[in-house]
């Protein structure tokens, strides 16, 4: 088993590379900002954090797409707390009815 200490990773450089990638990807697409869909999990939380660092909070829109039967209330609370910490507004769109229609149309 490889120990993390054996990898000798430069986390500051990795973060710089990720921030550069985000910024260049948005610019190369001809966009001025990004929309980040957050779930309340760690992956989307890290994505949001890095996107805000790369583009500035004024260039990031946040959406949360909970589904009544799947999304935990704690996940939605985590989303709101994270957005509050970053001083961002999060738009919430309940997708329960949309998913039910899709489920009914899939054989």
């Amino acid at each position: 088993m490889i120990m993390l200490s054996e990898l000798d990773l430069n986390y500051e450089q990795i973060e710089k590379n990720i921030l550069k990638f985000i910024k260049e990807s948005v610019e190369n697409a001809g966009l001025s900002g990004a929309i980040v869909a957050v779930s309340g999990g760690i992956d989307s939380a890290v994505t949001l954090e890095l996107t805000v660092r790369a583009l500035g909070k004024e260039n990031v829109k946040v959406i949360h797409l909970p589904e009544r039967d799947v999304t935990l209330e704690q996940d939605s609370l985590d989303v709101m707390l994270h957005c509050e910490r970053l001083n961002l507004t999060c738009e919430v769109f309940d997708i329960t009815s949309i998913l039910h229609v899709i489920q009914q149309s899939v054989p």
Side-chain angles (χ1 to χ4, degrees), residues 65-68 70 95-105:
L65 307 170
E67 197 277 333
R68 180 186 64 228
V70 176
I95 61 170
T96 304
S97 60
I98 295 168
L99 290 180
H100 286 178
V101 168
I102 293 170
Q103 288 172 341
Q104 292 170 358
S105 67

